[in-house]
Amino acid sequence: MSNQMMEQMTLPLSKDLQTIELEINQYQQSAGHAVFQIGRRLNWVKEHDLTHGEFSSWLQTMKFDHDMANRFMRVARELNESEAYQQLGYSALYQIASLPESERDKPHQIDGATKTPDEMTVAELKTLRQKLKRSEEHAEQLQDQIDHQEPVYPEDYGELQEIATSARQREKNLQEVIENMREEMTALEADSNEYQDLQKQINKLTATANKEEAKLIAMKDFAQLDSGIEQLLDQLAPLLYSTDFSQFESDDPAVSHIKRLVGRVHDWTAEMESLMPKLEDEYIKGDVINVN
């Protein structure tokens, strides 16, 4: 220990409380500032290879624990040195730097109190990290279940396939008739009545074939939609009743995420209902139906 440090430690302290408070605040600020400045310099040394590949050995000569050095470096990389952060210690700064960037400035509910991370104790920050990790793991599990879910086909899937097969055959037959007519037209004069009649028939058959093709595409999409909805409901219905919602606070990130998803589902179902064809008894009073 240097003589200067020894002198500082043996200096008498003031009996004026305001002076003591001022000195404590100054040391608090310098502590946070020191973490950022040390971390910044450690990053600089490593990024510019000033130790020529001997960074770990150099840390030992500096009496610096490797894990602690990595934490100082992470704080300097992840956080901007603000006035609030300057008053925090190394452990609190590292906990905040370890949070997802989107969660570092948001208020969170911890033990019944709402605080931003820079207002929390180290213990509270650790609790917050655990909550966020559980929320992330839960979201990943749900996504994994969705990704590996086996296809579930509706009960009338076979009937839909038969209808689609029949429609394909009709379309194929129409195309064959159209081709035969076009071959007949090659032997006719373009201005003859028979030629004009064949052209009109071809136009009508082509329009019919196009409708059949559009119907086929729509049926395929409809079958996929039907299957997807059945699969989603079969998978999510049990989770609704097995999840213990009482374990979560109202502002828990997991709850907020689920609420956003529920809102998206609500918007999707509302849009689906608006797109579905209406039955006659579904037209509300006041709808004007053109019967001409």
Side-chain angles (χ1 to χ4, degrees):
M1 186 178 296
S2 67
N3 292 333
Q4 184 178 5
M5 292 178 63
M6 288 289 296
E7 291 175 1
Q8 288 181 345
M9 292 181 63
T10 57
L11 284 174
L13 300 178
S14 173
K15 294 184 178 180
D16 179 59
L17 181 59
Q18 291 185 344
T19 300
I20 294 293
E21 290 174 347
L22 178 62
E23 291 173 347
I24 290 174
N25 287 332
Q26 288 176 340
Y27 279 115
Q28 284 180 327
Q29 292 176 8
S30 64
H33 178 67
V35 173
F36 280 97
Q37 294 305 314
I38 292 172
R40 180 186 172 200
R41 283 160 175 78
L42 291 174
N43 284 326
W44 178 268
V45 170
K46 188 169 185 178
E47 290 167 4
H48 292 80
D49 196 22
L50 300 185
T51 59
H52 308 291
E54 299 294 332
F55 184 72
S56 296
S57 300
W58 175 75
L59 285 177
Q60 292 178 2
T61 65
M62 294 290 295
K63 310 288 190 219
F64 227 114
D65 178 82
H66 197 277
D67 290 339
M68 181 173 290
N70 284 332
R71 294 184 178 190
F72 274 58
M73 293 161 70
R74 181 168 185 173
V75 168
R77 282 196 310 269
E78 297 286 342
L79 303 179
N80 294 320
E81 185 177 359
S82 65
E83 184 176 348
Y85 286 159
Q86 286 180 349
Q87 300 181 24
L88 300 180
Y90 141 76
S91 296
L93 288 172
Y94 173 70
Q95 293 296 328
I96 295 174
S98 301
L99 294 173
E101 186 175 359
S102 60
E103 304 292 340
R104 293 172 188 166
D105 299 319
K106 290 169 53 176
H108 300 272
Q109 194 167 28
I110 297 291
D111 297 330
T114 301
K115 299 180 181 180
T116 54
D118 62 331
E119 298 172 330
M120 297 180 187
T121 65
V122 173
E124 289 172 338
L125 286 167
K126 289 180 178 179
T127 300
L128 176 60
R129 283 183 63 190
Q130 292 172 355
K131 288 178 63 175
L132 293 174
K133 184 178 180 181
R134 287 197 301 269
S135 300
E136 183 181 358
E137 290 174 348
H138 182 63
E140 289 177 353
Q141 288 173 358
L142 287 178
Q143 187 61 52
D144 185 65
Q145 290 176 8
I146 293 173
D147 292 341
H148 294 86
Q149 183 74 21
E150 292 293 330
V152 178
Y153 299 106
E155 294 179 0
D156 58 352
Y157 184 76
E159 182 180 348
L160 288 173
Q161 282 191 315
E162 290 179 5
I163 296 173
T165 301
S166 177
R168 289 193 196 95
Q169 187 60 49
R170 288 198 304 273
E171 183 191 7
K172 182 179 178 181
N173 294 340
L174 284 170
Q175 293 295 346
E176 290 177 356
V177 171
I178 291 171
E179 288 301 319
N180 292 335
M181 287 183 173
R182 284 177 177 159
E183 289 181 7
E184 291 180 29
M185 289 175 66
T186 59
L188 301 172
E189 295 292 336
D191 57 352
S192 67
N193 291 334
E194 192 175 356
Y195 183 96
Q196 298 297 328
D197 289 341
L198 281 174
Q199 185 61 59
K200 290 179 181 178
Q201 293 181 51
I202 288 175
N203 291 341
K204 289 182 179 180
L205 290 173
T206 300
T208 302
N210 289 339
K211 288 182 180 179
E212 290 287 344
E213 182 179 5
K215 179 74 177 218
L216 272 173
I217 294 173
M219 288 178 65
K220 179 181 178 182
D221 293 340
F222 196 86
Q224 290 178 339
L225 178 63
D226 194 324
S227 173
I229 294 174
E230 289 276 1
Q231 179 177 337
L232 183 64
L233 293 176
D234 287 345
Q235 178 181 342
L236 295 183
L239 293 176
L240 176 62
Y241 301 103
S242 64
T243 303
D244 186 2
F245 290 97
S246 65
Q247 299 299 320
F248 299 91
E249 301 288 349
S250 61
D251 67 341
D252 190 286
V255 175
S256 300
H257 183 67
I258 291 294
K259 285 183 177 179
R260 285 195 297 270
L261 292 179
V262 170
R264 288 174 60 189
V265 172
H266 180 270
D267 293 342
W268 184 85
T269 53
E271 187 173 0
M272 276 291 298
E273 289 179 354
S274 69
L275 294 174
M276 295 290 286
K278 285 186 177 181
L279 299 175
E280 289 185 6
D281 58 354
E282 288 182 316
Y283 283 97
I284 62 174
K285 184 177 181 181
D287 282 347
V288 178
I289 304 176
N290 188 358
V291 296
N292 294 329

